Protein backbone atom coordinates (compact mmCIF):
# COMPACT_ATOMS: atom_id res chain seq x y z
CA UNK A 1 0.00 0.00 0.00
CA UNK A 2 2.81 2.38 0.86
CA UNK A 3 4.49 1.81 -2.49
CA UNK A 4 1.32 2.85 -4.32
CA UNK A 5 1.24 6.07 -2.31
CA UNK A 6 4.89 6.69 -3.19
CA UNK A 7 4.20 6.09 -6.88
CA UNK A 8 1.25 8.50 -6.87
CA UNK A 9 3.33 11.13 -5.09
CA UNK A 10 6.20 10.69 -7.56
CA UNK A 11 3.84 10.93 -10.52
CA UNK A 12 2.16 14.08 -9.24
CA UNK A 13 5.30 16.20 -9.01
CA UNK A 14 8.70 15.97 -10.71
CA UNK A 15 10.41 17.21 -7.54
CA UNK A 16 9.18 14.08 -5.74
CA UNK A 17 10.67 11.61 -8.23
CA UNK A 18 12.68 9.98 -5.45
CA UNK A 19 9.45 8.50 -4.11
CA UNK A 20 9.21 6.45 -7.29
CA UNK A 21 12.60 4.93 -6.62
CA UNK A 22 11.57 4.24 -3.04
CA UNK A 23 8.47 2.43 -4.29
CA UNK A 24 10.58 0.29 -6.63
CA UNK A 25 12.97 -0.47 -3.76
CA UNK A 26 10.01 -1.58 -1.60
CA UNK A 27 8.78 -3.93 -4.33
CA UNK A 28 12.28 -5.36 -4.72
CA UNK A 29 12.44 -5.95 -0.96
CA UNK A 30 9.07 -7.69 -0.95
CA UNK A 31 10.10 -9.87 -3.89
CA UNK A 32 13.39 -10.81 -2.22
CA UNK A 33 11.65 -11.66 1.07
CA UNK A 34 9.15 -14.15 -0.39
CA UNK A 35 11.67 -17.03 -0.88
CA UNK A 36 13.00 -16.51 2.65
CA UNK A 37 9.52 -16.71 4.12
CA UNK A 38 8.80 -19.85 2.13
CA UNK A 39 12.08 -21.42 3.24
CA UNK A 40 11.09 -20.82 6.86
CA UNK A 41 7.39 -21.59 6.55
CA UNK A 42 7.42 -24.90 4.69
CA UNK A 43 9.62 -26.76 7.23
CA UNK A 44 7.51 -25.29 10.04
CA UNK A 45 4.34 -26.70 8.46
CA UNK A 46 5.97 -30.12 8.04
CA UNK A 47 7.17 -30.17 11.66
CA UNK A 48 3.74 -29.12 12.93
CA UNK A 49 2.08 -31.94 10.99
CA UNK A 50 4.57 -34.48 12.39
CA UNK A 51 3.98 -33.31 15.96
CA UNK A 52 0.20 -33.52 15.52
CA UNK A 53 0.53 -37.00 14.01
CA UNK A 54 2.68 -38.15 16.93
CA UNK A 55 0.17 -36.73 19.40
CA UNK A 56 -2.62 -38.67 17.66
CA UNK A 57 -0.64 -41.91 17.81
CA UNK A 58 0.14 -41.40 21.46
CA UNK A 59 3.42 -40.97 23.21
CA UNK A 60 3.98 -44.75 23.63
CA UNK A 61 3.99 -45.33 19.88
CA UNK A 62 6.63 -42.61 19.44
CA UNK A 63 8.97 -44.20 21.95
CA UNK A 64 8.61 -47.65 20.36
CA UNK A 65 9.57 -46.21 16.98
CA UNK A 66 6.22 -46.44 15.18
Amino acid sequence: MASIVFLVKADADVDNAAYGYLAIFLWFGITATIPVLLALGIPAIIMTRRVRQQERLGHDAVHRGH
Side-chain angles (χ1 to χ4, degrees), residues 10-37:
D11 192 41
D13 188 11
V14 177
D15 293 333
N16 292 330
Y19 285 114
Y21 290 109
L22 185 58
I24 292 170
F25 181 74
L26 282 173
W27 279 105
F28 177 74
I30 290 168
T31 304
T33 305
I34 290 172
V36 174
L37 292 175

Side-chain angles (χ1 to χ4, degrees):
M1 185 72 176
S3 64
I4 295 171
V5 173
F6 288 148
L7 286 175
V8 169
K9 230 177 181 182
D11 192 41
D13 188 11
V14 177
D15 293 333
N16 292 330
Y19 285 114
Y21 290 109
L22 185 58
I24 292 170
F25 181 74
L26 282 173
W27 279 105
F28 177 74
I30 290 168
T31 304
T33 305
I34 290 172
V36 174
L37 292 175
L38 287 173
L40 295 174
I42 291 172
I45 291 170
I46 292 170
M47 285 189 295
T48 303
R49 286 184 180 178
R50 286 182 183 169
V51 167
R52 288 180 182 166
Q53 182 181 12
Q54 287 177 357
E55 288 175 351
R56 272 182 284 178
L57 292 174
H59 295 289
D60 293 336
V62 174
H63 292 295
R64 289 190 313 235
H66 290 118

